[in-house]
Amino acid sequence: MEFDLIARIRDRAPGRADVVLGIGDDAALLQVPPGMQLVVAMDTLNAGVHFPVATAPADIGWKALAVNLSDLAAMGAQPAWCTLSLSLPEAGAAFVDGFLDGFLELAARHDVSLVGGDTTRGPLSVCVTMHGLVEPGRALRRAGAGVGDDVWVTGTPGDAAAALAALQAGAAVDRSLRARLDRPTPRVAAGRALAGVASACIDVSDGLLADLGHICAASGVGACIELDRLPASPALSRFKPDLRWPWQATGGDDYELCFTAPAAQRETVVDALAATGEIAATRIGRIDASTGVRAQCPDGTAWTPAMPGYRHF
Ligand code: ADP
Ligand code: MG
């Protein structure tokens, strides 16, 4: 049964010239190009925690890879290879087929090869390890933000949180918002373009303010965000600011990049992102010498979110 599932996976797994040995042996053999650093990230998705239980298998597959690609994007790395650990409640050939549809569609877009994994029986859980490459010295880190740097965010945060809120309320969910929850777009090209340009970077998975807080903590600085600068998608713009701001500032699952760069680099940032044709970024605030992250209302008063960000425990 398990071997049948592995065979299904192996038959569809894409290759790459640098995969010396892929699925089928005790381990994979990968040829790291000379002079490059290996970048490794792992993320687990549990049913009911990281995706609604009723999520389509193809969307689970997409998201499992997307969240890992997003971590590599936040490091400025080029994705290359991944491994996949699947814990399945039953034999589930149909689930695996659907899962691979989404997983491999996204893998193909980024030329990522699935080189191995593990298949076990248990509660539905998916774990992916992503391997990528970066030029020495060019990786983006959480540490590095300097006082006076601009704070930027790619795309439009808050869409996934708005979709989740509607789902949890049993309300109708806007299709474009739902797509952002189920099929987030990892900002891989943006991360590559920002390598060597941004002073610090993180991907927004637990909420913009919370994740910017990690940049601040690692960099030994503080930050102030102006709420009226937060970019909103057309679908999100229909909500009033009191509803929209908490989703944009503290909602999870955005998988946008939040990064900092010296003000002198503004044009470089805009041009580098424009050259990718992927996504633009918006300046939303400034790094300062305080500690922690503050958010400011348009009238200059401090804004206190009801929920500071997603907490796993
Ligand atoms: P072992 O007992 O040596 O770990 P397995 O039967 O678990 O062997 O795996 C056999 C091969 O199939 C290995 O190459 C492994 O990487 C691959 N494999 C197992 N499960 C998966 C999976 N979910 N996705 C991709 N490859 C897998
Ligand atoms: Mg195994």
Side-chain angles (χ1 to χ4, degrees):
M1 174 283 289
E2 175 194 326
F3 299 107
D4 178 51
L5 289 182
I6 295 173
R8 293 181 101 83
I9 296 170
R10 188 191 55 220
D11 289 348
R12 292 181 61 185
R16 269 171 66 109
D18 51 14
V19 178
V20 181
L21 192 59
I23 296 174
D25 213 303
D26 294 312
L29 282 174
L30 309 169
Q31 189 63 54
V32 178
M36 295 294 273
Q37 287 179 339
L38 190 60
V39 185
V40 182
M42 172 192 263
D43 249 327
T44 301
L45 264 61
N46 292 323
V49 180
H50 301 99
F51 56 86
V53 178
T55 305
D59 290 337
I60 299 172
W62 176 286
K63 194 163 181 176
L65 186 61
V67 301
N68 280 279
L69 287 171
S70 181
D71 280 325
L72 256 65
M75 298 301 290
Q78 185 63 47
W81 316 292
C82 67
T83 54
L84 167 65
S85 173
L86 278 177
S87 165
L88 301 172
E90 54 215 62
F95 177 89
V96 168
D97 289 343
F99 179 92
L100 289 176
D101 289 342
F103 189 93
L104 296 178
E105 183 185 342
L106 185 58
R109 288 191 196 189
H110 294 281
D111 192 22
V112 164
S113 179
L114 174 60
V115 298
D118 201 21
T119 307
T120 56
R121 192 183 289 266
L124 180 58
S125 176
V126 180
C127 181
V128 174
T129 306
M130 190 67 231
H131 297 70
L133 302 164
V134 74
E135 301 78 9
R138 280 177 75 90
L140 298 170
R141 303 181 182 201
R142 296 178 179 188
V147 173
D149 282 3
D150 294 318
V151 178
W152 301 74
V153 69
T154 60
T156 56
D159 295 342
L164 188 63
L167 274 181
Q168 286 171 340
V173 189
D174 178 278
R175 279 190 56 180
S176 68
L177 296 178
R178 181 71 201 252
R180 296 267 288 153
L181 176 67
D182 290 336
R183 295 216 169 197
T185 307
R187 303 304 184 190
V188 173
R192 290 296 288 155
L194 292 168
V197 175
S199 51
C201 186
I202 192 167
D203 69 315
V204 181
S205 54
D206 294 343
L208 182 58
L209 298 187
D211 287 319
L212 176 57
H214 295 314
I215 285 184
C216 289
S219 302
V221 294
C224 186
I225 294 307
E226 294 170 53
L227 289 170
D228 59 347
R229 282 181 170 271
L230 294 182
S233 66
L236 205 65
S237 299
R238 293 200 289 270
F239 295 93
K240 283 189 298 211
D242 342 352
L243 267 176
R244 178 157 60 76
W245 284 344
W247 292 330
Q248 292 169 284
T250 68
D253 269 354
D254 291 311
Y255 303 103
E256 296 295 345
L257 298 180
C258 176
F259 62 95
T260 60
Q265 296 278 75
R266 278 178 194 172
E267 222 173 300
T268 311
V269 167
V270 171
D271 293 347
L273 292 178
T276 69
E278 182 180 83
I279 193 78
T282 308
R283 265 189 300 121
I284 57 170
R286 188 66 77 84
I287 295 294
D288 57 36
S290 68
T291 44
V293 179
R294 279 148 298 106
Q296 210 171 59
C297 299
D299 65 4
T301 57
W303 180 75
T304 320
M307 271 272 288
Y310 185 79
R311 282 180 202 280
H312 296 276
F313 297 101

